[in-house]
Amino acid sequence: MSETNEASRRDWLKAAGALLAAGTIGPAGAAWAQPIGAASGKLPAVAAGAHTSFGPLRRVRAGDLDVSYAEIGPATGKPVLLLHGWPYDIHSYLDVAPALAAAGYRVLIPSLRGYGETRFLSETTPRNGQQAALAADALAFLDALTIETALVAGYDWGARTACILAALWPERCTGLVSVSGYLIGSQQANAMPLPPKAELQWWYQFYFATERGREGYARYTRDFTRLIWQLASPQWRFDEATFARSAASFENPDHVAISIHNYRWRLNLAEGEPRFDAIERKLAGFPTIAVPTITLEGDANGAPHPDPAAYAKKFTGRYAHRLITGGIGHNLPQEAPQAFAQAVVDVDGA
């Protein structure tokens, strides 16, 4: 699940700002551009749970990885890169992808390192889950497919990666959709303690900091991930088949190592790779994002997430925030595929 950034941590401590109202909300202040509205007549109706498979997946060597990915839509369509989170997988986009493909987009959904059939090319590559490594993977994936620019969208780990691409490589991003907003973090910001109630939401992060936690996650991966799904989306009534499709992705031989390293790195309990130091220094400055952006939040998100007021000014281009109602939790693209797909179409038309 997504980490709070420096702004959101200050928000936890100071309780700054109220939750933005439901619907599409533009930023305040004369320096902000007009909010992004809704495009018309381009997106078919999207029903949650209507699709159960992507069909055969594709593979490409990209950077450190042999990436397994789903692709749907015309090869000549505008590329859309959809990035999943933890502990979820590409199936979060089962209903989003066909709708975007029907609207003419080329939709690409890679399994992240440690998920599905994605594999490291070398046994000696560190099983590194730090944010810069995941961003480097995404860039390498676009490069391997010779894609110069793409719309980027994601939630949880995927939202953080999408934000990093938009912040540091805006020339590669034509638009951004990010669930829970601006999720770029730093080890320094994560060292700031939170009030006890807020810390309680991060129980699994502290569990993962111990060897007991690592062994427990390895032994009970399926039970653990099911619990996270239930806590993060308390009103989502997913069935066993839905969970089983994604749970198969966690059988990846590197899943546990990547998951544990990600959370330990955040707390400065595990080292990153020196080759990513320059990127992390830039991210530690919390760069603004100027590409057209829509941020989304579910009204029943049970995972830790920042208040929209805490991050609105990180987006300096055309921007809108949308609160998605109806008991929508953390896995927003799977729970509310119509809203997520519409946001992609709308940010493209910004």
Side-chain angles (χ1 to χ4, degrees):
M1 288 183 284
S2 59
E3 71 179 87
T4 48
N5 52 54
E6 184 178 36
S8 65
R9 285 175 175 263
R10 289 197 301 268
D11 186 67
W12 279 112
L13 294 169
K14 299 179 181 178
L19 182 66
L20 297 182
T24 300
I25 301 176
W32 296 83
Q34 292 298 314
I36 298 169
S40 60
K42 194 173 183 182
L43 190 69
V46 184
H51 301 86
T52 59
S53 174
F54 285 114
L57 300 180
R58 302 187 180 192
R59 308 192 72 87
V60 65
R61 290 195 168 199
D64 295 332
L65 304 173
D66 179 17
V67 179
S68 172
Y69 68 101
E71 179 172 345
I72 181 171
T76 57
K78 181 176 291 188
V80 177
L81 177 63
L82 301 179
L83 299 165
H84 69 81
W86 175 92
Y88 305 94
D89 78 329
I90 63 173
H91 292 97
S92 291
Y93 296 109
L94 271 174
D95 299 312
V96 169
L100 292 176
Y105 293 97
R106 180 188 179 189
V107 186
L108 303 155
I109 316 165
S111 287
L112 305 185
R113 54 171 59 195
Y115 293 81
E117 294 303 313
T118 291
R119 296 290 186 271
F120 283 89
L121 296 173
S122 172
E123 290 297 325
T124 63
T125 303
R127 272 38 179 180
N128 178 359
Q130 74 181 105
Q131 61 181 356
L134 294 166
D137 290 345
L139 280 178
F141 178 71
L142 293 177
D143 289 342
L145 297 178
T146 63
I147 294 173
E148 294 185 3
T149 62
L151 293 158
V152 293
Y155 67 102
D156 196 82
W157 289 17
R160 180 176 306 107
T161 299
C163 284
I164 292 171
L165 295 183
L168 299 190
W169 294 278
E171 71 279 3
R172 305 296 298 272
C173 303
T174 57
L176 168 68
V177 174
S178 177
V179 176
S180 297
Y182 186 94
L183 296 179
I184 295 173
S186 76
Q187 290 176 322
Q188 181 179 2
N190 289 334
M192 183 184 299
L194 303 174
K197 187 176 180 179
E199 295 282 20
L200 179 62
Q201 290 189 292
W202 288 105
W203 65 271
Y204 56 90
Q205 181 169 250
F206 300 110
Y207 182 61
F208 286 169
T210 69
E211 282 306 294
R212 178 186 174 96
R214 184 193 63 77
E215 292 177 11
Y217 189 57
R219 180 177 298 186
Y220 301 110
T221 307
R222 197 178 184 97
D223 293 337
F224 197 106
T225 52
R226 185 195 300 273
L227 176 61
I228 295 296
W229 280 33
Q230 293 167 341
L231 294 175
S233 299
Q235 297 185 43
W236 183 30
R237 301 295 179 251
F238 57 87
D239 59 23
E240 181 58 31
T242 297
F243 177 73
R245 278 191 292 272
S246 291
S249 289
F250 313 144
E251 297 173 6
N252 182 296
D254 299 307
H255 177 75
V256 172
I258 295 295
S259 299
I260 297 299
H261 185 269
N262 178 284
Y263 288 101
R264 289 184 179 181
W265 178 86
R266 299 187 198 194
L267 296 180
N268 206 16
L269 299 175
E271 293 184 358
E273 292 179 73
R275 59 178 170 145
F276 298 125
D277 286 352
I279 294 175
E280 293 294 354
R281 283 193 294 271
K282 292 179 181 178
L283 297 176
F286 301 103
T288 57
I289 293 173
V291 304
T293 298
I294 294 176
T295 57
L296 304 172
E297 191 60 81
D299 65 340
N301 185 359
H305 60 281
D307 189 299
Y311 56 70
K313 290 186 178 180
K314 300 306 294 184
F315 301 102
T316 59
R318 297 202 67 189
Y319 172 69
H321 176 75
R322 297 173 181 176
L323 178 66
I324 311 305
T325 61
I328 303 304
H330 192 60
N331 186 4
L332 194 148
Q334 195 161 4
E335 298 175 58
Q338 182 84 52
F340 191 93
Q342 188 64 59
V344 173
V345 172
D346 292 346
V347 85
D348 180 33

